[in-house]
Amino acid sequence: MVIRRLRRLRRLSLAWSTVKGRKGGFAGSFIAIVAGSAVITACGVLLESGLGTGVTPERYAGASVVLGAEQSFRLDESSEVRYSERVTLAADRVAAVAAVPGVRSAVGDVGVEVGVLGPDGAVVGGPGGFPVLGHGWSAAALAPFRMREGRVPAGAGEVVLDAALAARGRVAPGATVRLVTGSIPVSYLVVGIAAAPGNGLRRQSAVFFTDGQAAALTGRPDRVDAIGVLAEPGADPRELAGRITAAVPGVVAHTGAGRGDAEFLDVGDARSLVVETAASFGGTMVLIVVFVVASTLALSVQQRRRELALLRAIGATPRQVRGMIGAEMTLVSVAGAVAGAVPGVLLAFAMRGVFVLAGAMPPDFRLHAGPWPVLAALVLCLVSGRGAGWLVARRVARVSPVEALGDAAVEPKRLGRVRLVVGVLLLPLGLLLALGDVAAPGDSAADTAGSAVLLFVVALGCLGPVLLRGAVALFGGLLNRRSTAGGFLAQASARAGARRLSAATTPLAMGVTLAAVQVFAASTTIAGARQQFEDGLRADQVLTAAAGGGVSPAVADAVRGVPGVAVVTPVARTQVLLTFPSEDSTATKAFAAQGVAPERLAETMDLGVTRGDLAQLRGEAVALSRTAARTVGARLGGTVDLRLGDGTAIQPRVVAIYEHGLGFGDVVLPNDLVVAHTTARADAAVLIRSAAGADPQALRAAVERYPTVWMGGPEAFLAAPGAGGSGDWALNLLFQTVLLGYIAIAVVNTLVMATAARVREFAALRLIGAGPGQVRAMMDGEARIVVFTALLFGLLATAAPLAGISRGLTGSPVPSISLAGLAAIVAVTVALAWGATRMATRHALRSSARGV
């Protein structure tokens, strides 16, 4: 054991000497590991924060335990899908919870969004744009609120305001305040002002009604949003939570910081989204680190061919060579992982800022930067670096001493047979996935086509040197004039060093492919959605709500009787879950949904129905977009397993299939069904089609009776609540940007290492009469070849996937190309290749030809 440890220490000492003597050769691997460690650390910080922090509870701060319903649909033991609406509990559970030993009292809490009108009629909002919520007075004990002035509400027409809200609205006890619930303004007598504990309410404002009035305003007097538990003195909250869940089935207990999840649904949504995305992206980054480090290390080992060949020739065994490279990578990996820790923490906070700006995370969601993400990044980078070293050392260690000396003399011209066959076979397979009708159950045609890009990326990696030689043979004369010394040298160097040059060209082409698919798929989706929206929206007026929980169904009923109004279509928005057969089991996916009234729907909203009839959209019926129907395998006249926004399971019959799913959502349900299962029990918008020659003033006068309802043009429908998405796109865009940035680092590393290692070649050229300008011209010519080849094959690799994505989304195989996005991709490619080459060339030319 002691001898083995001494050998390891000797090996590490030798590796340290090698690393110090060849800093340039290991710089690329070091930088790649530093960047990888930073990204993995950032993902770890996000993951740890999503699992353990969140937002401090406010109104539930005094409750030992908060009970709610299950707010997620479990896909399996490790993943879930969040319901978009609050799932409520039966009110009779309050008594059952109160009977559990250790519970001093149990309070059922309900919340209804309220609009508060100031003396001037303007809406008085919550702090920072957060809502004003109405509750029963008994729930004030869960904070607990302290009565500062006046008394508790005793009648249906009396309310108590929290102190901050009363100050903003300039309201005192004895005054009358108008509150809007369900778009209807009602006057209430303010009988008291209550002060919240601690620093007050930061994420909401509170209005307290009598318990009976609050329950009536929700429209569901037999349901509660949550149950707050005040424990007996000395009771442990976690133990009490366990006793309650054992005695009262169907409740989920929250203690500590988890109480904020029950109080604020957006916190739980953000937590679930961040945990899932950070975990999956962190795992992907580990694989990317292995690939990039192996690529840079392979180039470094290739530059050390003479050294390794000499070691093999003087008797070094394959095991010793593998051990040396492994020890070198251990030192580089540990140093890189430690160096990337602090930038990783900073990157996590920067990513949090982007999530907040995109609406994917609440602004007060806290990050916790503990030691575990740093340690995890250290272990993963060490394993990745050692794995990359093992992959690279395998070939070097297998070669006999004689072959090693031969390999050191010249670069091998042929690719390995397996690598070549794999690269060729991936091309038709990618075309089949992108353009063939082979989507598996649960995957749309666009998803399948999008996944085909990975096959083309791998094919680029396998066939990189072959593609580069072909590009040089076909386009070398156009890129570099052979009549000039620089052009001649660039072409000759590219042909002789295709392997070396492709080491930089291939990852650059991969980055071009991934970036182009992301940018152009997004531009195709946006353009398709905009076109479908413009073609399908027939309404000339749209009603939306500024506050108060949406547009009440009563508003739609009222405007139907206005002279000149031809058609009124209330629209409620939500998210539903569809469960469908997938291989040997079932799968569940979330889809954007809306609830509409079917009467004369085509006059306000044309969904592009291809089969069926939307007039049958009543009761438990559903219409699906072509994409959704194909994804879940639904047929006209059949049924689907669907969960509404609050988790209610139904099996509606498919009455229509339509084309405009991008513009209006993939699922359409009856309006009354959706409204009954949303948190606010209200519409997001009301579409109005006026008769020819109608007087708009009559409609405007009718709407003025509802102070929180606004009337606008068709563009207001896009700004209505529920139209902005969940923020998933922001997460995907950010993570793809980080991934592409890491690939850019790999490209720069490779170019710098490959160019800096050509000092002998540059010196030889200088000795035979080439001037520095001619050497720089040669490297500029090589940079042109790298840029052109990367753009050519990178963009060609996107053609089939983008055609498949466009056909799956819009029905047309022609994608929408963003010229600004294309220009940005070209500019970044040129900047990376030319900038890295110029920088490394300047450094390599500093060596004097006489000193070699």
Side-chain angles (χ1 to χ4, degrees):
M1 182 67 69
V2 174
I3 296 177
R4 186 179 300 174
R5 289 180 178 176
L6 289 175
R7 287 177 178 173
R8 289 178 180 173
L9 289 175
R10 187 185 307 164
R11 189 180 299 164
L12 288 174
S13 176
L14 177 62
W16 176 243
S17 300
T18 307
V19 171
K20 286 195 300 182
R22 300 185 61 90
K23 295 185 181 70
F26 291 99
S29 298
F30 176 77
I31 294 174
I33 292 174
V34 169
S37 173
V39 175
I40 294 173
T41 300
C43 290
V45 170
L46 292 174
L47 181 61
E48 184 181 29
S49 301
L51 291 173
T53 55
V55 172
T56 303
E58 294 181 349
R59 290 187 308 100
Y60 295 157
S64 302
V65 182
V66 178
L67 305 172
E70 179 59 65
Q71 196 62 43
S72 302
F73 179 80
R74 289 282 176 182
L75 301 176
D76 51 45
E77 294 182 356
S78 60
S79 58
E80 62 184 25
V81 179
R82 295 275 297 181
Y83 295 122
S84 60
E85 312 291 341
R86 182 178 288 278
V87 184
T88 58
L89 294 169
D92 57 12
R93 298 287 179 88
V94 178
V97 172
V100 175
V103 175
R104 176 162 56 90
S105 64
V107 180
D109 179 40
V110 297
V112 57
E113 190 166 349
V114 176
V116 181
L117 301 181
D120 57 354
V123 176
V124 180
F130 285 111
V132 179
L133 300 174
H135 311 274
W137 173 251
S138 62
L142 300 176
F145 281 83
R146 177 178 55 84
M147 185 63 70
R148 176 183 293 180
E149 299 179 58
R151 59 176 176 83
V152 303
E158 298 177 345
V159 295
V160 170
L161 306 183
D162 81 70
L165 177 62
R168 287 195 301 273
R170 302 191 297 277
V171 178
T176 298
V177 63
R178 287 200 301 163
L179 304 180
V180 180
T181 56
S183 304
I184 311 297
V186 177
S187 295
Y188 288 86
L189 176 65
V190 179
V191 297
I193 304 295
N199 295 323
L201 302 178
R202 298 181 178 182
R203 302 189 96 249
Q204 60 191 311
S205 292
V207 175
F208 293 100
F209 303 89
T210 62
D211 290 349
Q213 179 67 3
L217 290 174
T218 65
R220 292 173 287 195
D222 59 339
R223 311 290 295 181
V224 294
D225 293 346
I227 301 173
V229 176
L230 301 177
E232 295 284 359
D236 181 79
R238 294 185 181 275
E239 293 181 1
L240 181 58
R243 288 200 298 271
I244 293 173
T245 54
V248 184
V251 298
V252 178
H254 304 270
T255 59
R259 294 170 298 171
D261 290 9
E263 185 173 358
F264 310 114
L265 287 186
D266 61 333
V267 175
D269 295 342
R271 189 195 297 273
S272 176
L273 188 62
V274 168
V275 166
E276 181 179 350
T277 313
S280 62
F281 185 72
T284 303
M285 277 306 304
V286 172
L287 299 178
I288 298 296
V289 168
V290 172
F291 171 78
V292 173
V293 173
S295 176
T296 55
L297 183 60
L299 184 59
S300 174
V301 169
Q302 185 181 14
Q303 294 168 359
R304 298 168 61 190
R305 289 195 306 269
R306 292 181 176 85
E307 173 190 332
L308 297 176
L310 181 60
L311 288 175
R312 293 288 285 119
I314 63 176
T317 65
R319 182 177 180 180
Q320 288 173 324
V321 173
R322 287 196 300 266
M324 181 186 69
I325 294 177
E328 292 168 353
M329 286 312 300
T330 297
L331 294 175
V332 174
S333 299
V334 171
V338 172
V342 173
V345 174
L346 298 177
L347 177 62
F349 281 89
M351 293 167 73
R352 174 193 173 278
V354 175
F355 296 162
V356 171
L357 288 176
M361 181 183 287
D364 52 352
F365 192 95
R366 296 173 299 167
L367 291 188
H368 175 68
W372 292 112
V374 176
L375 292 176
L378 176 62
V379 172
L380 291 173
C381 286
L382 179 59
V383 173
S384 302
R386 287 300 300 261
W390 178 79
L391 290 173
V392 172
R394 286 179 62 203
R395 180 183 180 276
V396 176
R398 284 202 309 262
V399 177
S400 68
V402 176
E403 292 179 22
L405 289 173
D407 284 349
V410 65
E411 181 180 273
K413 292 185 176 296
R414 293 186 176 181
L415 290 180
R417 183 175 302 175
V418 174
R419 178 178 176 179
L420 186 61
V421 169
V422 170
V424 172
L425 291 179
L426 286 176
L427 295 177
L429 184 58
L431 290 173
L432 179 63
L433 284 180
L435 304 176
D437 190 11
V438 294
D443 292 329
S444 66
D447 292 336
T448 303
S451 64
V453 72
L454 299 178
L455 299 182
F456 287 106
V457 165
V458 176
L460 283 176
C462 293
L463 302 176
V466 175
L467 298 176
L468 181 66
R469 290 194 185 100
V472 172
L474 292 175
F475 305 105
L478 298 177
L479 298 172
N480 295 289
R481 290 182 299 170
R482 295 179 62 88
S483 58
T484 64
F488 174 80
L489 290 173
Q491 290 192 57
S493 176
R495 285 195 300 269
R499 283 279 188 96
R500 168 183 49 80
L501 209 58
S502 70
T505 306
T506 299
L508 192 59
M510 291 178 175
V512 169
T513 300
L514 293 174
V517 167
Q518 288 294 320
V519 172
F520 300 148
S523 63
T524 299
T525 302
I526 293 171
R530 170 64 67 176
Q531 189 63 48
Q532 290 182 7
F533 178 81
E534 293 176 351
D535 293 344
L537 190 62
R538 305 290 177 81
D540 46 48
Q541 300 291 340
V542 177
L543 304 183
T544 57
V551 182
S552 170
V555 175
D557 295 335
V559 298
R560 283 191 178 98
V562 174
V565 172
V567 184
V568 174
T569 302
V571 181
R573 286 178 169 141
T574 188
Q575 176 182 281
V576 300
L577 307 180
L578 288 176
T579 301
F580 48 91
S582 178
E583 297 179 352
D584 296 332
S585 60
T586 60
T588 300
K589 293 190 73 169
F591 292 90
Q594 61 180 354
V596 300
E599 293 81 12
R600 301 175 65 181
L601 177 63
E603 297 183 44
T604 56
M605 180 192 299
D606 180 13
L607 295 177
V609 175
T610 57
R611 286 180 289 165
D613 185 4
L614 287 173
Q616 302 178 37
L617 197 66
R618 292 181 171 84
E620 290 195 358
V622 65
L624 301 176
S625 71
R626 172 181 55 85
T627 301
R630 179 169 181 172
T631 300
V632 304
R635 295 179 299 175
L636 187 66
T639 60
V640 292
D641 293 328
L642 184 147
R643 289 181 179 270
L644 297 167
D646 64 353
T648 301
I650 61 174
Q651 286 189 319
R653 182 171 59 90
V654 180
V655 298
I657 295 176
Y658 57 92
E659 190 65 34
H660 294 168
L662 281 179
F664 297 97
D666 287 311
V667 178
V668 176
L669 293 158
N671 178 261
D672 55 352
L673 180 63
V674 173
V675 168
H677 294 277
T678 57
T679 302
R681 298 175 68 84
D683 295 309
V686 176
L687 306 181
I688 299 173
R689 181 72 177 269
S690 302
D695 183 8
Q697 294 303 320
L699 177 60
R700 195 172 301 277
V703 173
E704 286 177 352
R705 292 183 295 166
Y706 307 101
T708 59
V709 177
W710 291 354
M711 186 171 73
E715 66 281 354
F717 189 56
L718 282 177
S726 64
D728 297 50
W729 65 271
L731 290 174
N732 291 332
L733 179 60
L734 178 61
F735 285 135
Q736 289 295 334
T737 301
V738 172
L739 176 60
L740 292 173
Y742 191 72
I743 292 177
I745 291 174
V747 171
V748 172
N749 270 343
T750 305
L751 282 169
V752 170
M753 289 176 60
T755 305
R758 299 169 66 182
V759 174
R760 291 176 179 271
E761 177 187 341
F762 292 170
L765 290 173
R766 296 288 306 279
L767 286 172
I768 63 175
Q774 291 174 318
V775 175
R776 282 193 289 268
M778 177 188 75
M779 296 308 298
D780 286 344
E782 289 190 15
R784 281 193 291 272
I785 292 173
V786 169
V787 170
F788 177 81
T789 305
L791 289 173
L792 173 65
F793 293 110
L795 294 175
L796 280 178
T798 67
L802 286 175
I805 291 172
S806 179
R807 190 178 66 172
L809 293 175
T810 66
S812 168
V814 181
S816 176
I817 303 299
S818 168
L819 295 181
L822 179 60
I825 291 171
V826 173
V828 170
T829 303
V830 172
L832 288 175
W834 238 297
T837 303
R838 276 296 185 101
M839 178 179 63
T841 302
R842 186 181 303 113
H843 174 76
L845 282 174
R846 289 175 184 172
S847 298
S848 171
R850 291 188 300 270
V852 179

